[in-house]
Amino acid sequence: MAPRRQGSGGEREADEVRGCCVPGECLRPRESVRVEDAVRLICNNEACTAGRYMHRDCFEQWEASVLAYLKSCGRARSWSERQRLQNLWTKKGYDLAFKACGCRCGRGHLKKDLDWLPPGAAARAEEEKKRRRRTRSGRGAAVGDGRSRAFSLSSSGSCSPPSAPSEPSTSPTHASTPAKRSSKTEIVSDRVRAGAGANGIFSRRLDFSTFNLLPKHKVNSYQIKIEDEGNHGNDETRLFILSTLAGQHKPRVSCALCDDTLDVFDRYPLVDGTFFLSPRQHTSAAVEVKVEGRTQYLTCVCMGCLERCEPERTIRCRFCGVKWDGSSLVLGTMYSYDIFMATPCCADRLKCNTCYKPLLHPQQRLNYSDYSHPVTCPHCRVLDTHFVKPLPYCFTKRAFPLFQQWP
């Protein structure tokens, strides 16, 4: 039996506890949690049996997903990253972010115990102070020499921080400019990713066999998003999607075209299809979010409808009959604009939603994402996302006759 120590609250605590209480997949499932190097959490469900300690690295990754959720909440959108981190576990920030802090018990929410100190922390802090004092006193004799060397180093060279990940491209062909990767179709092999999904409600993808339905030339890392952009799996797009859906308790989503139900996975590819943001709620299953102060709707389209795998999945413009094609879109990620409205095929798609007069010259074209932005009609002066129209208004699933609403 493991020895026990006195906790900060007067309770007895074991040196090790058996299970990590992270709300997802533990990064070190075979290792007990060492209390000296753990983070303690509090669940507001008094009957919780999920535990209260996390491995420190499990906590840091889980905390990153909560911070991503906080970034989209109310007044926290105007905070700096440092302010969000400082406020997260105080009342100021936690009241906004608690929905993303669901406990594994399913009946409570977790919060970091700010009043708890690991056993021996005070003694270690005092020892560290003594070590620093000894180090400073040892340096006193060589101050002059140290200053001259520091000056010579600073004048002879410099170092710069690593550059930040590039912003996603607005092209519908690729969500981001891919780095050079192996051309081997390795993504169809069995492999399990490390890391956890927000709140532990999302599926773990054990293999990539579903993508074998694609033509062979598309089974690659350019057409399917398989890597995080951020360090240690803290990709902002992935964390945004998972924290948003976790806050709504949605481990599955529905396709906007065929209503098929799709599992959401905790790592890229996040879904067997792709997500996008639209200023219009195309289906009741689309999730409302706030992005840079604007209301958007997180929507999903399945791989079958993007690739038009079956004739009944084909949709075409009600006005000119041109087929909509989503086969060039990268699978498993998210676009920041309405993918259905990004490539208007005829003049009828460019009319004002109020007065129905043309907003652009028939030959004039905008960037893909610009069609999802609000514009002011030059005729009636109404500000609206005029280019984003209801799917049944623009598309039909019937080849003939045209001008018949889908579905």
Side-chain angles (χ1 to χ4, degrees), residues 73-375:
C73 296
R75 60 180 179 273
R77 291 194 297 271
S78 63
W79 295 349
S80 66
E81 294 296 333
R82 183 176 180 181
Q83 288 174 320
R84 292 189 192 101
L85 185 60
Q86 290 174 337
N87 296 335
L88 177 58
W89 302 116
T90 66
K91 180 175 175 60
K92 189 175 182 180
Y94 186 73
D95 284 352
L96 299 173
F98 77 95
K99 288 184 179 180
C101 300
C103 179
R104 290 170 61 180
C105 70
R107 297 185 177 181
H109 295 86
L110 293 174
K111 183 179 182 182
K112 183 180 180 181
D113 187 350
L114 299 178
D115 297 326
W116 180 74
L117 286 175
R124 288 196 297 272
E126 183 62 28
E127 181 60 29
E128 179 64 18
K129 288 181 181 179
K130 292 180 181 179
R131 187 189 65 80
R132 289 179 180 177
R133 283 198 294 267
R134 290 195 298 268
T135 302
R136 284 197 297 268
S137 63
R139 289 176 179 171
V143 168
D145 181 54
R147 285 177 177 170
S148 64
R149 282 184 288 133
F151 176 79
S152 66
L153 286 171
S154 64
S155 60
S156 63
S158 63
C159 63
S160 59
S163 59
S166 59
E167 289 296 320
S169 167
T170 57
S171 168
T173 304
H174 296 292
S176 61
T177 304
K180 186 176 181 180
R181 296 173 181 151
S182 170
S183 61
K184 296 179 181 179
T185 58
E186 59 179 3
I187 62 173
V188 296
S189 62
D190 293 345
R191 61 177 177 172
V192 180
R193 293 181 177 274
N199 281 11
I201 67 173
F202 301 109
S203 300
R204 171 58 54 91
R205 191 186 289 276
L206 299 180
D207 61 64
F208 296 84
S209 59
T210 56
F211 297 105
N212 287 336
L213 298 174
L214 296 171
K216 288 186 177 180
H217 71 276
K218 288 190 175 183
V219 183
N220 56 61
S221 58
Y222 294 97
Q223 293 292 139
I224 304 170
K225 176 75 170 178
I226 61 173
E227 298 293 342
D228 285 330
E229 298 293 344
N231 296 326
H232 309 297
N234 293 333
D235 183 284
E236 286 193 3
T237 298
R238 182 178 70 87
L239 294 178
F240 169 77
I241 293 172
L242 297 186
S243 59
T244 296
L245 296 177
Q248 298 286 329
H249 302 289
K250 289 181 176 290
R252 285 172 288 276
V253 292
S254 298
C255 174
L257 295 182
C258 67
D259 293 326
D260 280 357
T261 299
L262 306 173
D263 287 327
V264 178
F265 297 92
D266 60 355
R267 293 283 176 175
Y268 288 121
L270 297 177
V271 70
D272 295 345
T274 197
F275 288 100
F276 68 93
L277 293 175
S278 173
R280 181 179 292 275
Q281 188 175 20
H282 289 305
T283 71
S284 60
V287 179
E288 181 178 338
V289 294
K290 288 286 186 179
V291 180
E292 297 179 351
R294 292 197 300 149
T295 298
Q296 301 280 305
Y297 294 91
L298 182 64
T299 314
C300 182
V301 185
C302 74
M303 180 171 60
C305 289
L306 291 172
E307 296 289 329
R308 299 182 299 178
C309 295
E310 302 158 359
E312 59 267 24
R313 293 181 184 269
T314 298
I315 61 173
R316 62 180 69 236
C317 177
R318 290 181 56 242
F319 305 102
C320 67
V322 170
K323 296 178 180 179
W324 182 81
D325 184 7
S327 61
S328 62
L329 298 174
V330 177
L331 299 174
T333 184
M334 183 190 79
Y335 288 83
S336 60
Y337 54 84
D338 193 313
I339 59 177
F340 290 112
M341 308 300 161
T343 53
C345 51
C346 61
D348 287 279
R349 300 274 299 278
L350 303 175
K351 292 181 179 179
C352 170
N353 285 340
T354 302
C355 67
Y356 301 102
K357 294 181 179 180
L359 297 168
L360 300 175
H361 187 275
Q363 304 303 319
Q364 186 178 355
R365 285 294 179 264
L366 305 177
N367 292 327
Y368 300 111
S369 60
D370 289 342
Y371 290 105
S372 295
H373 293 165
V375 294

